[in-house]
Amino acid sequence: MNFAEKMKKDEKENKEIMNTQTQWFKFKEGDNTIRILTEPQFFCEKFKVGICFTGCGYQGSPKYLAWIYNYDTEQVELMKLPYSLSKQLSDFCLDEEYSFTEFPMPYDLKIKATNAGTKEVQYTMLPRMKKAFAVDGVEIDKLKSCAEIIESMKEKQKDKVNADRSMEKLAGQKPEYPQEDINPDDIPF
């Protein structure tokens, strides 16, 4: 299954928690050059709330999590790919000149961010010429899988949501008072 097919499958399976109206992603303003090292993994996230999971009670923006090499920082980093960029990546996967079936990708991506850090951010993604990926010290097979990271994020979010729900229940309860009558003579003052 190629990435384009996987993306369609993820959309179908996660419709319940997916809200495609807004996307949030932080890039630096201008050009950002990266190489996607691992196959992106689907998840949804609500801005300023956290990752979505079945039964969480809210919807979020679809995103993909992947390990990337950031040429600006010269480091391997986790990246949350917004849906718009994931869609473009899916298109490259099907393109005659830029198709690929394995990760790391066979070429770099140059992503220009305009209005980075705002709701109005716009992305333009261009593939760079194909070249071998050879950066000293990058051991892709030793990276924690994105699927494990997403599950860990979900578990932490479930704990937070359950704690919030418990607090809401407690806040809505009335204090219990004794049912028997109180005799004023029994009060010591």
Side-chain angles (χ1 to χ4, degrees), residues 11 17-23 42-45 60-64 81-84 86:
E11 288 172 352
I17 59 171
M18 202 168 124
N19 172 1
T20 58
Q21 293 179 355
T22 57
Q23 292 150 354
F42 179 85
F43 72 103
C44 288
E45 183 176 54
S61 301
K63 298 181 182 194
Y64 281 82
L81 290 162
Y83 188 77
S84 60
S86 301

Side-chain angles (χ1 to χ4, degrees), residues 1-11 36 38-43 62-66 79 81-95 98-103 105 107 109 125 146:
M1 175 182 335
N2 66 32
F3 183 66
E5 291 166 343
K6 182 182 184 317
M7 192 170 174
K8 281 185 182 182
K9 178 180 172 274
D10 290 338
E11 288 172 352
I36 299 178
T38 61
E39 183 173 0
Q41 297 294 313
F42 179 85
F43 72 103
K63 298 181 182 194
Y64 281 82
L65 186 69
M79 177 182 272
L81 290 162
Y83 188 77
S84 60
L85 291 179
S86 301
K87 194 78 172 131
Q88 289 178 53
L89 186 62
S90 170
D91 292 342
F92 291 152
C93 184
L94 299 174
D95 185 85
Y98 295 105
S99 71
F100 62 94
T101 56
E102 295 179 0
F103 290 88
M105 291 179 63
Y107 50 87
L109 297 169
M125 184 162 65
C146 290

